[in-house]
């Protein structure tokens, strides 16, 4: 259903004389029923470049969003179809306050302010070469030579 324009003829009583047009242009706006819906615990993804090797900490790790749009589309929208992320692809080690990026279906918008996410990028620890991982066990004790 869409808004439309039409030219409509005017009907006059015979007791009146027409001084101008005998029709009018009419515009009828049609709006969809709009609604709001709250989506809880939407996980935040991290967009990074393939050359970055950081330890990334984000707070919070998930957000609650209030979305607005046509009622039918909101009723059909599922949390898995909402993409939220922070873009760290151009950043270096440090602490940042980044706006949350939200990717939504057409005609659906975020209601309210865009959340700000705390992001900390740290140098990733690398295992030492030549030393196998401990798997939580203490290192083996080498045998001691017997004393005589």
């Amino acid at each position: 259903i869409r808004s439309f324009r039409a030219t409509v003829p005017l009907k006059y009583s015979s007791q009146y004389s027409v001084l101008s047009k005998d029709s009018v242009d009419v515009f009828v706006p049609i709006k969809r029923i709009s609604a709001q819906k709250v989506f809880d615990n939407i996980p935040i993804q991290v967009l990074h470049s393939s050359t970055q090797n950081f330890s990334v900490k984000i707070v919070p790790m998930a957000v609650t969003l209030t979305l607005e749009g046509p009622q039918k589309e909101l009723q059909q929208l599922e949390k898995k179809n909402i993409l939220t992320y922070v873009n760290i692809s151009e950043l270096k080690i440090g602490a940042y306050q980044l706006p949350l990026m939200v990717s939504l279906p057409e005609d659906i918008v975020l209601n309210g302010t865009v959340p700000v996410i705390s992001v900390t990028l740290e140098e990733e620890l690398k295992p030492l070469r030549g030393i196998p991982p401990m798997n939580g066990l203490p290192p083996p004790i080498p045998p001691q030579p017997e004393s005589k």
Side-chain angles (χ1 to χ4, degrees), residues 55-131:
S55 169
V56 179
K57 295 178 186 171
I58 61 173
V59 176
M61 295 179 67
V63 290
T64 296
L65 299 176
T66 302
L67 303 181
E68 187 172 339
Q71 186 175 24
K72 183 177 179 183
E73 281 85 346
L74 275 178
Q75 287 172 344
Q76 296 172 348
L77 185 61
E78 295 180 29
K79 184 166 62 169
K80 67 180 181 182
N81 297 54
I82 301 169
L83 173 64
T84 60
Y85 64 96
V86 287
N87 184 353
I88 66 164
S89 61
E90 302 291 325
L91 302 179
K92 298 186 183 324
I93 292 173
Y96 302 90
Q97 297 292 311
L98 300 176
L100 180 69
M101 307 302 286
V102 182
S103 179
L104 298 169
E106 189 175 335
D107 295 333
I108 305 290
V109 295
L110 177 64
N111 186 338
T113 59
V114 174
V116 175
I117 308 302
S118 296
V119 178
T120 304
L121 305 177
E122 297 175 341
E123 194 171 338
E124 185 157 85
L125 298 176
K126 297 179 182 157
L128 298 173
R129 293 179 188 239
I131 300 176

